[in-house]
Amino acid sequence: MSVSSSASGGAILAGRGGLGGSLSDAFWRKPQLLLFLMLTPPLLWLGVIYLGSLFALLIQSFFSIDEFSGMVVREFTLKTYGELLRPSNLDIIVRTVIMAGLVTIASAVIAFPIAYFAARYARGRWKAMFYLGVMLPLWSSYLVKIYAWKLILAKEGILGWVFDKLHLTFLIDGWLALPIVGGNSLSVSPTGTFLVFVYVWLPFMILPMQAALERVPTNLLEASADLGASPGQTFRNVLLPLALPGVIAGSIFTFSLTLGDYIIPQIIGTSHLFIGMAVYAHQGTAGNIPLAAAFTVVPVVIMGIYLWLAKRAGAFNAL
């Protein structure tokens, strides 16, 4: 390779010929230019497609519907947000938030022992089996899983057959007779909706929690036991505080995904609407785009506050 001498007597590589060589030399001399060219396409995508659509959605929420003609009135007003405070719409928001909170809590309770076992005891082939078992449900079709659960929870489904063989059908009948959680069968009840939500989003809770538990030093747990702490005290005062960022990180996924989902409660559950179903109904069937946009802003605001609190708790370190 040819070299050329500099004025100071040092040697530098000679510039390569052609367009490719010129560009390579230019990027080498100005790395900021290369960084700019690499970041521009994704930033444009984020700014125009994602943030632009959110901004357009926000603008739509400040419009209203003319009750006589059904046309969108493109004038700034808070009338549409006032409609969210109607008892029927407020009931949709409260129902969705409560369901998302219950799904998140249940997922955390179920996921913690699974994640703890994987972080502390699973090694080699067993750890590979753990990841395979957690990830395998995510590889199957979303709709197939939901319809499979509809068959499982139906009155003539597998679950009903098992309880019938064990002569425990009265337990299901008694539960379905309860006013808030019951229904004609588990497949058309809030309980069925809750069970399917937990099943579908559980992997998103297990993985961040397992990552956080792996970062907990084992010697801290051993020191707590050496100092006379009971297993319960070690869990409450040592393990749980250190694993809390992982729990919060997992809750971001389970809470937000439940908050915006409209397919599961549409297939499994009662006729009571959730936020996602309300957005779908107002934008598609009713044609009330401003109200659909206002409903969409609700989970955005809720998750914005939730993410701010999660960041303060250090949850992003476990993502």
Side-chain angles (χ1 to χ4, degrees):
M1 182 179 293
S2 61
V3 297
S4 59
S5 300
S6 63
S8 59
I12 60 173
L13 293 175
R16 291 178 296 175
L19 179 61
S22 300
L23 289 175
S24 177
D25 294 339
F27 291 150
W28 181 78
R29 294 188 183 96
K30 296 180 179 180
Q32 297 84 357
L33 177 61
L34 178 61
L35 182 64
F36 172 78
L37 293 176
M38 291 179 63
L39 292 180
T40 297
L43 288 178
L44 283 176
W45 175 269
L46 178 65
V48 176
I49 304 299
Y50 182 70
L51 297 180
S53 61
L54 286 180
F55 182 75
L57 180 70
L58 181 63
I59 294 298
Q60 289 280 349
S61 67
F62 288 105
F63 297 155
S64 62
I65 284 287
D66 184 270
E67 296 179 358
F68 179 74
S69 63
M71 301 297 292
V72 177
V73 180
R74 301 183 181 278
E75 297 178 357
F76 183 86
T77 179
L78 296 176
K79 176 184 176 182
T80 304
Y81 282 100
E83 294 183 18
L84 292 179
L85 300 179
R86 291 180 179 178
S88 57
N89 293 331
L90 196 60
D91 183 59
I92 294 173
I93 297 172
V94 173
R95 181 185 304 112
T96 306
V97 173
I98 290 177
M99 176 63 77
L102 292 176
V103 169
T104 300
I105 294 172
S107 298
V109 172
I110 297 172
F112 198 96
I114 300 174
Y116 183 80
F117 174 82
R120 291 297 171 198
Y121 301 107
R123 294 291 183 272
R125 183 179 301 176
W126 286 107
K127 179 154 271 187
M129 291 296 295
F130 161 77
Y131 284 115
L132 181 63
V134 172
M135 299 296 294
L136 191 60
L138 300 178
W139 299 344
S140 59
S141 170
Y142 178 74
L143 287 175
V144 168
K145 289 186 292 186
I146 297 173
Y147 278 109
W149 269 99
K150 188 174 183 65
L151 295 176
I152 293 172
L153 297 175
K155 187 170 291 185
E156 300 82 8
I158 298 173
L159 192 63
W161 178 81
V162 171
F163 273 75
D164 181 61
K165 291 299 181 181
L166 297 176
H167 304 287
L168 298 175
T169 308
F170 67 93
L171 294 177
I172 296 181
D173 294 337
W175 182 264
L176 293 176
L178 298 176
I180 297 177
V181 299
N184 293 329
S185 70
L186 287 174
S187 62
V188 288
S189 67
T191 301
T193 308
F194 167 79
L195 291 174
V196 178
F197 268 135
V198 172
Y199 167 79
V200 172
W201 307 138
L202 185 61
F204 296 94
M205 177 67 79
I206 294 176
L207 294 176
M209 196 178 293
Q210 185 260 347
L213 287 170
E214 280 191 339
R215 297 191 183 106
V216 178
T218 306
N219 56 0
L220 291 181
L221 305 180
E222 296 173 350
S224 176
D226 293 340
L227 292 173
S230 64
Q233 291 174 324
T234 301
F235 174 78
R236 291 190 304 269
N237 300 320
V238 179
L239 185 60
L240 185 59
L242 294 175
L244 191 60
V247 178
I248 300 176
S251 71
I252 293 173
F253 294 109
T254 55
F255 188 82
S256 62
L257 291 171
T258 306
L259 203 63
D261 193 283
Y262 72 96
I263 297 178
I264 290 177
Q266 194 171 16
I267 297 175
I268 298 178
T270 63
S271 58
H272 293 149
L273 295 179
F274 287 74
I275 289 179
M277 299 169 66
V279 173
Y280 179 81
H282 286 297
Q283 184 170 353
T285 306
N288 193 342
I289 296 179
L291 185 56
F295 263 114
T296 308
V297 171
V298 173
V300 173
V301 173
I302 293 175
M303 286 310 303
I305 298 173
Y306 196 88
L307 289 173
W308 177 74
L309 295 174
K311 183 179 180 181
R312 289 175 59 90
F316 291 170
N317 297 329
L319 287 174

